[in-house]
Amino acid sequence: MKEMMKMLLVAVCGATAAWGHAALPAVRVDTRAVPLIATGVEYVGSADGTVVAEWDTTQVEDGWWRVANDGALGITRPTGEASHSTVDVLVLNGPSVVGGRMSQSAAWDDERVVVVRHDVVVPSGTTLMLGAGCIVKFTEGARIVVEDGGSVVAEGAYLAAFDDDSVGGDTDMNGALRTTRPTNWWLDDPAVAALATVKFVDGATNLPTRTYTAGKVYGTLPELVREDAMFGGWRRVEDGGLGQAALPGDVVASGETVLQAYWIPYELSIEPESATVGCLASEGAFAVTANVEWDVSCDADWVTVSVDGSNVVYSVEENANADARVATIRVVRRQDGGSPSQGASVLSRDFTLTQEGMAQLVAPTINPADGTTFIGSSRRVSISGAEAGAEIRYTLDGSEPTAASKLYTKSFNVFDTTVVKARAFMVGKRASETVSSRIVRLQTLAEALDVPLWTVTTDGDAVWTVDETAGRNGSSCARSGAIGDDQESTLTMTIEGAGTLTFWWKVDCEDDPDYDNWDFLSFEVDGAEIARIDGDSGWCQVTVKIKSEGMHTLTWTYSKDYMDDDLVGIEDCGMVDQVAWSPLVGDSEVPVAWLENLGMVSAGVTAADAANADPDGDGLTTAQEYVAGTDPNDPDSKLTAYIEMVDGEPVVTYAPDLLDERAYKKLGKKRLDDPNEEWVEVKDGEEGNYNFFKVVVELP
């Protein structure tokens, strides 16, 4: 082949050389490579230059063309023997044909075929980039020459001979040439080697057969893809079986060689294939063994997966539910192109991850039990029954306990009606159910009567009790006991000193209009009856002034006569509510509370001293000013009478006027200088009968 190329080169240079056994007259073709390669616009003509014509090769098909020079330019497809006036030229418009000195950096794109038809020189300061997948084919003797300071960067490019059909296709068109030229065109040249063929077999599918010059290497062999296995290369078919592997650098044997595709089954396995974890947050891993690239995914949002080398690491969130849950972690072979495999032939393995449900703690126990009542200032409460390691959290306001509620460490007191709620908490278990206990503080009779610091007793055939809803204002009150005929229920308390007692009471029993001692509710002070009510009285207020010093016994008694009563629709009881006591200072009837509100009673000043004092110096004691309704600390505060004419008649008024809290009398007199004339009480409208007036105020 080299000798044949030399003959073509001699012909290009215009010398006479032997072509086979006959001498070919010179034909000028202005191409720049061996074999003769034409691309774009070329020039053809006689060797002496007398006949020159442009040849636009872009207007013809790629392949071998026979150029004639017999006085008229003729371009024909070679179909037979070359004559003495023809030269065969290869037209290549498809691949990029390069050569010459680079003037600037250049890049030969990916997946291109580039034919170097003569030296490419990379000078200093320039770079030639050979992209990944670019196929560079060299005509014989052509090179890439890198001068000092220049550089070539190849990133997965293929480099092959121009006549190597294994990559880049049949660029030298020798297949087409052999089919169009007679065989005897080259057989007379002893330098032309024999041809060899390689047949590629992949099961039932055969790839196109390749033709090589005997003694050449395979070069780049076809790469095959199958979903169910990995391509392992080509093996020679020998004696009905597979022999050694065929490698790109192996020499192709003469004749026909059959290569069989060799497939390696995909391997993808995991170890272990399942795991069960506890309810708490945790991590774990399983190993992946594979000869393929793979991806991992999970169908549960409570599991996070990542890849650490050949291991899949999973992180599990806490499972606060009672039931176990299951997740599938899938490892799947990645297809070419980086996407996970799809379809029936998907190669995958599933890892089953089971997370146990969280057990619930046993609920604690509150003592005393729900509905327990107590009388007094407090009730002790304890909580027990927590599992080992658990905490008990509780509330006293009826709200739901949380992990942030008060921690139970020891028993405690409640001082009023209280709803205690408790719940157990522990890491790794669900909180217990909430337990609740309503502990009811029953009012004492003294509290129900609004005198919580007094001593109140009850006696008789049935004791008085607290009714928490029947009071005058819908609150609590004291209610007589359930007695029968000729029985009584008694409520008793004591007070000390003089003062004003007020209370509200009511009764619902049979009427006793004539005071025949039928059913009734009575009130006594020191054994003397002060008042009684019967029938359906409704709530009414009683005010009693106690003027003597010493201890006084107050008694309320609900009594029934000896006869059977028709009590349909009758509650048959008495009730007392809102007892109030305003003590007085001796005979002055000045309430001690009034003196205390004015700040007149202190550690060194008794109520009696304060009542008899005259702090504003107006000549009236504090007790007298209380009766008058004036301010004992203001000398200008006085009881004053006024006379004004209304419709021609005098009208007497006075201030301050405390209305029913005081008893006011208007006294009149005709003459002041008559010692025998007495002051006479004047009724409203009678002022015209008198000339002089005075106002007297007393406690009612």
Side-chain angles (χ1 to χ4, degrees):
M1 182 64 71
K2 289 182 180 179
E3 293 300 327
M4 181 173 63
M5 296 306 174
K6 288 179 180 179
M7 288 189 293
L8 291 174
L9 180 58
V10 172
V12 170
C13 294
T16 300
W19 191 285
H21 293 286
L24 292 175
V27 178
R28 179 182 176 196
V29 180
D30 190 13
T31 58
R32 294 169 295 281
V34 178
L36 300 181
I37 300 176
T39 178
V41 177
E42 301 288 349
Y43 295 92
V44 298
S46 62
D48 59 6
T50 57
V51 179
V52 177
E54 287 188 358
W55 179 21
D56 185 359
T57 62
T58 62
Q59 300 302 311
V60 299
E61 296 180 6
D62 286 1
W64 286 94
W65 289 82
R66 184 160 294 165
V67 180
N69 181 16
D70 52 3
L73 177 63
I75 303 173
T76 59
R77 190 79 175 179
T79 57
E81 286 277 355
S83 70
H84 292 282
S85 60
T86 59
V87 174
D88 289 325
V89 180
L90 177 61
V91 175
L92 286 180
N93 290 310
S96 297
V97 180
V98 298
R101 186 178 185 85
M102 292 170 47
S103 61
Q104 60 184 11
S105 295
W108 294 350
D109 297 339
D110 299 351
E111 308 297 337
R112 290 181 55 189
V113 177
V114 179
V115 175
V116 180
R117 65 179 175 180
H118 62 95
D119 287 353
V120 173
V121 180
V122 183
S124 176
T126 62
T127 300
L128 175 59
M129 177 72 71
L130 307 184
C134 177
I135 301 171
V136 183
K137 305 186 76 171
F138 295 85
T139 62
E140 188 168 354
R143 303 165 299 169
I144 296 176
V145 180
V146 183
E147 295 181 348
D148 289 343
S151 62
V152 174
V153 179
E155 298 179 346
Y158 295 94
L159 305 180
F162 179 61
D163 58 357
D164 185 351
D165 297 344
S166 61
V167 291
D170 186 15
T171 51
D172 63 352
M173 301 292 181
N174 59 356
L177 181 62
R178 295 189 189 97
T179 60
T180 58
R181 286 187 174 185
T183 302
N184 60 4
W185 184 79
W186 66 79
L187 288 183
D188 292 333
D189 189 339
V192 177
L195 298 180
T197 59
V198 178
K199 183 178 182 181
F200 297 90
V201 180
D202 175 27
T205 302
N206 294 335
L207 278 66
T209 299
R210 292 187 179 183
T211 302
Y212 291 86
T213 300
K216 297 292 185 178
V217 297
Y218 288 107
T220 303
L221 295 168
E223 292 282 343
L224 304 183
V225 177
R226 201 167 79 186
E227 283 198 0
D228 59 348
M230 179 169 52
F231 181 61
W234 296 94
R235 291 184 177 273
R236 299 183 181 89
V237 178
E238 300 172 353
D239 299 329
L242 296 182
Q244 293 182 345
L247 303 176
D250 292 348
V251 176
V252 180
S254 300
E256 182 180 83
T257 301
V258 179
L259 299 183
Q260 173 73 51
Y262 176 68
W263 296 98
I264 301 172
Y266 287 130
E267 294 181 5
L268 180 62
S269 62
I270 59 176
E271 176 63 34
E273 296 181 348
S274 64
T276 299
V277 297
C279 59
L280 296 181
S282 61
E283 289 187 351
F286 60 88
V288 179
T289 301
N291 62 358
V292 293
E293 293 185 356
W294 47 272
D295 293 295
V296 64
S297 63
C298 183
D299 64 356
D301 58 4
W302 49 272
V303 180
T304 302
V305 296
S306 60
V307 177
D308 181 11
S310 61
N311 294 322
V312 173
V313 179
Y314 53 84
S315 299
V316 182
E317 297 176 0
E318 181 181 283
N319 182 13
N321 299 317
D323 299 330
R325 55 186 178 182
V326 178
T328 299
I329 302 175
R330 175 161 294 178
V331 178
V332 61
R333 178 177 71 87
R334 184 185 303 160
Q335 281 184 324
D336 293 339
S339 300
S341 300
Q342 304 292 334
S345 61
V346 169
L347 180 62
S348 65
R349 296 292 182 267
D350 288 344
F351 177 85
T352 302
L353 179 63
T354 303
Q355 186 181 31
E356 297 173 342
M358 187 174 286
Q360 188 171 31
L361 290 167
V362 175
T365 301
I366 300 175
N367 183 34
D370 183 43
T372 298
T373 62
F374 70 96
I375 299 175
S377 61
S378 63
R379 179 67 162 88
R380 199 71 176 170
V381 178
S382 62
I383 309 175
S384 59
E387 296 182 28
E391 294 180 342
I392 296 177
R393 301 279 178 168
Y394 69 96
T395 61
L396 301 179
D397 59 0
S399 62
E400 190 73 9
T402 68
S405 299
K406 187 174 180 61
L407 174 66
Y408 177 79
T409 57
K410 61 181 180 180
S411 61
F412 54 89
N413 287 326
V414 294
F415 303 95
D416 207 341
T417 297
T418 304
V419 176
V420 181
K421 289 188 175 183
R423 200 177 183 192
F425 294 87
M426 185 171 68
V427 175
K429 287 192 175 183
R430 289 188 300 129
S432 72
E433 297 291 339
T434 299
V435 292
S436 178
S437 177
R438 184 173 185 267
I439 303 169
V440 180
R441 179 181 180 273
L442 299 178
Q443 287 186 318
T444 63
L445 285 170
E447 291 171 334
L449 293 167
D450 301 316
V451 285
L453 300 180
W454 291 19
T455 300
V456 179
T457 60
T458 179
D459 201 355
D461 297 294
V463 297
W464 284 63
T465 59
V466 174
D467 189 318
E468 293 192 349
T469 60
R472 176 174 171 265
N473 293 326
S475 57
S476 59
C477 66
R479 181 188 185 104
S480 64
I483 58 176
D485 294 334
D486 203 21
Q487 291 183 336
E488 63 182 18
S489 177
T490 303
L491 179 72
T492 304
M493 62 185 75
T494 59
I495 56 175
E496 183 178 3
T500 301
L501 176 74
T502 61
F503 63 87
W504 291 79
W505 67 346
K506 78 171 185 175
V507 70
D508 188 13
C509 64
E510 64 177 346
D511 288 332
D512 185 18
D514 298 325
Y515 277 69
D516 291 331
N517 292 329
W518 293 355
D519 298 354
F520 61 90
L521 175 62
S522 64
F523 172 65
E524 298 177 351
V525 177
D526 295 331
E529 184 175 297
I530 303 300
R532 70 164 60 184
I533 52 176
D534 57 65
D536 185 4
S537 67
W539 286 105
C540 51
Q541 189 179 40
V542 176
T543 300
V544 179
K545 291 185 178 294
I546 299 176
K547 298 184 177 181
S548 61
E549 297 293 331
M551 299 297 296
H552 303 285
T553 301
L554 311 177
T555 305
W556 290 264
T557 303
Y558 180 64
S559 303
K560 291 177 65 65
D561 60 23
Y562 63 91
M563 297 181 65
D564 291 336
D565 302 321
D566 182 8
L567 301 179
V568 177
I570 296 177
E571 291 191 63
D572 193 20
C573 70
M575 299 181 187
V576 178
D577 195 9
Q578 296 180 336
V579 176
W581 169 247
S582 180
L584 303 177
V585 182
D587 294 336
S588 69
E589 299 189 23
V590 178
V592 175
W594 184 76
L595 296 171
E596 291 175 341
N597 289 337
L598 291 173
M600 293 183 172
V601 179
S602 64
V605 181
T606 65
D609 294 337
N612 294 320
D614 181 12
D616 59 3
D618 62 356
L620 297 176
T621 65
T622 299
Q624 290 172 324
E625 297 220 38
Y626 168 74
V627 175
T630 57
D631 184 355
N633 293 313
D634 183 1
D636 295 327
S637 177
K638 297 178 180 179
L639 177 64
T640 304
Y642 304 93
I643 299 177
E644 58 181 338
M645 300 300 293
V646 179
D647 296 332
E649 296 293 332
V651 175
V652 176
T653 59
Y654 44 87
D657 185 355
L658 302 184
L659 303 175
D660 294 338
E661 294 184 10
R662 298 292 185 270
Y664 293 95
K665 291 181 181 180
K666 290 183 292 184
L667 303 179
K669 199 175 185 181
K670 292 183 178 180
R671 294 173 58 89
L672 288 177
D673 57 354
D674 185 354
N676 295 319
E677 184 181 358
E678 297 182 353
W679 290 92
V680 179
E681 184 174 357
V682 179
K683 303 297 183 182
D684 291 339
E686 297 179 354
E687 287 91 342
N689 299 328
Y690 302 92
N691 297 320
F692 303 95
F693 302 90
K694 68 177 179 180
V695 177
V696 178
V697 59
E698 299 175 344
L699 294 175

